[in-house]
Amino acid sequence: KNQVEQSPQSLIILEGKNCTLQCNYTVSPFSNLRWYKQDTGRGPVSLTIMTFSENTKSNGRYTATLDADTKQSSLHITASQLSDSASYICVVSDRGSTLGRLYFGRGTQLTVWP
Amino acid sequence: EADIYQTPRYLVIGTGKKITLECSQTMGHDKMYWYQQDPGMELHLIHYSYGVNSTEKGDLSSESTVSRIRTEHFPLTLESARPSHTSQYLCASSGSAGGELFFGEGSRLTVL
């Protein structure tokens, strides 16, 4: 069964600290993996998208890694800011059909305290 | 910045009312999607369209219906709302299947 599991479910850190969010997936065949940031009450916004051949991609203070062999990804946030408080969603796309079906994780709720 | 818009952002209505959630995008994308999201849960695909006059049901069964008469417009309609329809509805579009997805701000529906 194709699934995307994220951990931890929630995380609280102090402003300025770093943190790492995890994503494990069983989606096959794999096409790409995306990380989205979703502020409370808003729509998700894309942070990174990685294909099979990419093992790291950065977007400012956000760095995503991908290990396609172990089917794991992580999102590292450096020097956190209050505005980083949000849900971070891992999404995996398969290439088994023209639909490019997407599998969503439940997200990690990050809270950054001053 | 994504050019995809949803209205209304918030809607509180009584049971049995008909509602339409609007979604428009100005990026010329052929592919549009409706997702339903409950607090702390993953997004579930309820409808998608790959072009004008093309609509399909998604993974999650929904009593809502959609139409795609124009490329830029993908409204969702509930003929008779019930409390079980209370949820956040997110519209999205993409330039290609499996490509980057751009989301609207969402419509938070509460049915009393």
Side-chain angles (χ1 to χ4, degrees):
Chain A
K1 181 181 178 183
N2 289 321
Q3 285 185 310
V4 177
E5 301 287 345
Q6 292 188 243
S7 62
Q9 183 176 349
S10 61
L11 180 64
I12 299 174
I13 63 173
L14 294 177
E15 187 178 14
K17 298 297 185 183
N18 304 333
C19 67
T20 300
L21 314 180
Q22 300 290 342
C23 174
N24 296 336
Y25 62 92
T26 59
V27 177
S28 181
F30 173 86
S31 177
N32 59 64
L33 184 145
R34 313 116 182 265
W35 283 94
Y36 285 87
K37 178 187 179 188
Q38 184 176 23
D39 292 320
T40 300
R42 310 289 290 271
V45 174
S46 178
L47 294 175
T48 63
I49 179 169
M50 290 184 291
T51 59
F52 185 89
S53 60
E54 298 173 296
N55 55 25
T56 186
K57 183 168 274 191
S58 292
N59 178 359
R61 294 180 296 103
Y62 301 101
T63 299
T65 64
L66 172 65
D67 186 333
D69 292 330
T70 61
K71 298 187 176 181
Q72 295 180 325
S73 176
S74 65
L75 180 69
H76 187 73
I77 303 175
T78 304
S80 61
Q81 300 176 357
L82 298 179
S83 58
D84 292 332
S85 294
S87 178
Y88 292 84
I89 303 172
C90 176
V91 185
V92 181
S93 175
D94 74 13
R95 56 179 173 83
S97 69
T98 56
L99 177 62
R101 183 175 172 147
L102 300 180
Y103 296 87
F104 289 80
R106 293 188 175 186
T108 291
Q109 183 64 49
L110 175 66
T111 303
V112 181
W113 282 1
Chain B
E1 190 168 312
D3 294 320
I4 179 165
Y5 308 100
Q6 290 186 241
T7 58
R9 288 291 315 281
Y10 304 95
L11 181 63
V12 180
I13 60 170
T15 297
K17 299 293 185 183
K18 176 181 178 179
I19 64 106
T20 296
L21 304 180
E22 303 286 351
C23 177
S24 295
Q25 51 95 7
T26 59
M27 297 173 281
H29 288 167
D30 286 328
K31 295 160 184 62
M32 296 189 73
Y33 311 83
W34 276 103
Y35 290 90
Q36 185 172 340
Q37 184 183 32
D38 293 315
M41 302 297 288
E42 64 267 45
L43 278 71
H44 290 285
L45 181 67
I46 51 175
H47 297 284
Y48 63 95
S49 167
Y50 274 8
V52 172
N53 294 325
S54 160
T55 61
E56 300 287 345
K57 290 189 179 295
D59 306 319
L60 183 67
S61 176
S62 174
E63 293 165 349
S64 59
T65 59
V66 293
S67 62
R68 190 87 182 276
I69 300 173
R70 303 198 315 266
T71 297
E72 63 271 22
H73 196 212
F74 191 40
L76 180 146
T77 298
L78 272 168
E79 289 293 334
S80 180
R82 294 205 301 270
S84 60
H85 295 137
T86 294
S87 189
Q88 164 108 317
Y89 293 86
L90 289 162
C91 180
S93 73
S94 173
S96 61
E100 185 167 0
L101 210 54
F102 296 91
F103 285 90
E105 295 284 35
S107 292
R108 166 72 60 186
L109 173 66
T110 302
V111 184
L112 303 176

